[in-house]
Amino acid sequence: MQRTISVLTLALFAFVALAKDPGMKKGTPDIASISVLKFNQDGVLFIGDSKGGSVFAVNLGDNEPSANEESLNIIDLEDKLAGMLGTTADNIMIHDMAVNPISQNVYLSVSRGRAKWTSRWETPNDLVDADILIRISPSGEMSEATLENVEFASVSIPNPVDASIEHRWKKGAKLRSDAITGIGFDDGKVYISGLSNEEFRAALWTAPYPFVQDVDVNTLEIFHGAHGKWETASPIRAFLPYELNNEKKILAAYLCTPLVTIDAEKLESGTHVKGRTVAEFGSGNYPIDMVLYQNNGKDYILMSNSALPLLLFDPLDVANYKGEITEEVKGYLAGVSYTPRSGNGVQQLADFNKKYILSTQRLPNGKLALTSLSKEWLYP
């Protein structure tokens, strides 16, 4: 009974929050690319549009509460999507995944561009713009989610990286695909990572939500232990806002694979901020996703990667780490420790319900599965 009451209360709060958003209007948002997906606790879906250089807050009318605690598994996800979209499974590409915390409906941003994916360093957004939003219910029912005639608001990020600039080492890719690489939400603020057109390209934008004020921008600099130097041109690949030792931080992972804390209190508009590198998790890899979850009342962070297994680490270890990596790391492992969990081929991650984290995983037979990872099993 208590669980039912809490879910209904959450849904009521979501309805009130949406109703009070002064910036939302009804219509069809002009989204050029569904690059990044993120829900807040009120069931508002934030869509990062790298091509358009904007973030959209969308009310999909999806606020029916669910108390489901079952797993969700679809072994042939690409085959089912291909059947819906009139193409073949080898052409289906998933760009991002998010779960509505109220309804537990799963949302995927999808394109028909996987046939172009030939390099392990490419991300889906390097290849093609995602233009389809798919909804999957907790029971596995699949449908296309319309963005027509919805309530939405939008904000433009100041000075995103120019659309004409070629990527330095990814042949044929434009830096604009990294204009928005991630979205986080915390305490009424939308954090947006990506690349700007500033001299120091790596950027973190902060947009108060509802979108009624200007967006603040900070350029970032971090020490990359595997490369042995300070860097300002590499964007955050996965991040979480998180409180460490009673201080708000951005916990961020980068290519090849430093883990960095950024002091959220120092994110004053227009300033250049240096992050503190607290770990090196390995080279030849880029982080894909990062999810915070609870098991038995304790917080854990799980990170998926392009070339490494799932990495599980304790935020308390980050909080208690006193050092800072400022010299080249031989062997590419240093600082905060992690626990590797079996899960090669895991791509997207999202907190699904009380018992499970949802993932997309490339299986040995080549199929992409939507699979549920037990939080009990993940427990180290």
Side-chain angles (χ1 to χ4, degrees):
M1 183 63 178
Q2 181 62 40
R3 171 69 178 171
T4 302
I5 290 173
S6 64
V7 172
L8 290 173
T9 301
L10 185 61
L12 178 60
F13 286 163
F15 175 80
V16 171
L18 290 172
K20 289 184 176 179
D21 185 343
M24 280 199 173
K25 59 184 179 181
K26 200 157 191 178
T28 301
D30 185 18
I31 299 174
S33 59
I34 310 175
S35 309
V36 178
L37 302 175
K38 179 67 178 181
F39 277 98
N40 72 0
Q41 73 277 5
D42 298 320
V44 174
L45 177 62
F46 294 99
I47 298 177
D49 176 3
S50 283
K51 191 172 184 178
S54 298
V55 174
F56 293 81
V58 182
N59 172 17
L60 295 168
D62 179 20
N63 295 307
E64 185 70 27
S66 171
N68 167 64
E69 294 185 2
E70 300 299 319
S71 63
L72 172 60
N73 297 282
I74 301 175
I75 300 303
D76 52 353
L77 180 59
E78 289 167 337
D79 299 81
K80 285 184 165 55
L81 289 172
M84 281 182 59
L85 302 176
T87 185
T88 55
D90 62 355
N91 213 26
I92 292 292
M93 185 159 59
I94 294 171
H95 293 239
D96 205 359
M97 176 175 71
V99 173
N100 185 327
I102 298 171
S103 67
Q104 295 183 8
N105 283 328
V106 183
Y107 289 82
L108 306 173
S109 57
V110 177
S111 72
R112 299 176 178 88
R114 188 162 65 93
K116 300 177 182 179
W117 204 351
T118 58
S119 168
R120 69 188 182 97
W121 292 109
E122 292 171 332
T123 70
N125 292 333
D126 287 330
L127 304 173
V128 67
D129 298 321
D131 58 355
I132 304 162
L133 187 64
I134 296 294
R135 178 191 291 122
I136 304 174
S137 74
S139 62
E141 296 177 13
M142 193 178 297
S143 60
E144 189 168 347
T146 181
L147 290 171
E148 295 181 2
N149 200 31
V150 296
E151 290 183 331
F152 74 96
S154 65
V155 65
S156 296
I157 58 173
N159 204 19
V161 64
D162 192 275
S164 66
I165 299 176
E166 299 278 346
H167 196 283
R168 184 171 57 86
W169 49 270
K170 292 183 187 179
K171 186 177 180 180
K174 304 284 189 182
L175 285 184
R176 189 54 176 254
S177 64
D178 283 340
I180 298 176
T181 57
I183 294 176
F185 185 87
D186 181 65
D187 195 23
K189 294 180 180 179
V190 181
Y191 295 98
I192 307 152
S193 64
L195 291 181
S196 72
N197 220 32
E198 304 288 344
E199 178 183 1
F200 300 141
R201 292 201 186 280
L204 187 65
W205 292 273
T206 306
Y209 182 77
F211 297 143
V212 293
Q213 299 179 34
D214 292 337
V215 178
D216 294 337
V217 61
N218 297 93
T219 53
L220 303 177
E221 185 171 5
I222 64 112
F223 189 83
H224 196 310
H227 296 169
K229 61 180 181 179
W230 290 91
E231 296 187 351
T232 61
S234 180
I236 295 172
R237 284 292 162 193
F239 76 93
L240 290 170
Y242 192 82
E243 190 169 286
L244 296 171
N245 295 326
N246 298 315
E247 296 180 347
K248 289 190 177 182
K249 305 288 186 180
I250 304 298
L251 191 58
Y254 288 77
L255 184 76
C256 276
T257 306
L259 183 70
V260 176
T261 63
I262 298 165
D263 190 344
E265 302 301 324
K266 292 183 179 179
L267 298 178
E268 298 178 4
S269 186
T271 61
H272 182 67
V273 176
K274 283 190 174 184
R276 172 174 165 253
T277 303
V278 297
E280 283 289 342
F281 286 157
S283 187
N285 170 72
Y286 65 83
I288 298 175
D289 219 339
M290 189 186 292
V291 64
L292 170 71
Y293 74 95
Q294 281 196 337
N295 187 51
N296 295 325
K298 181 173 172 55
D299 286 354
Y300 295 94
I301 295 174
L302 188 67
M303 190 168 81
S304 59
N305 303 276
S306 65
L308 296 175
L310 285 170
L311 304 183
L312 180 70
F313 58 96
D314 188 336
L316 279 179
D317 290 341
V318 180
N320 293 331
Y321 181 72
K322 304 303 182 185
E324 180 178 2
I325 296 172
T326 57
E327 296 182 355
E328 184 175 359
V329 174
K330 303 297 184 181
Y332 310 132
L333 295 175
V336 174
S337 62
Y338 65 84
T339 301
R341 305 301 290 169
S342 59
N344 286 334
V346 172
Q347 299 172 16
Q348 303 298 329
L349 295 171
D351 196 1
F352 183 43
N353 59 32
K354 184 177 180 180
K355 293 183 178 180
Y356 295 99
I357 287 173
L358 205 59
S359 71
T360 59
Q361 182 175 16
R362 185 68 61 186
L363 301 178
N365 63 4
K367 291 185 179 294
L368 187 74
L370 188 67
T371 60
S372 295
L373 306 175
S374 167
K375 293 177 181 180
E376 289 289 341
W377 170 80
L378 288 166
Y379 185 75

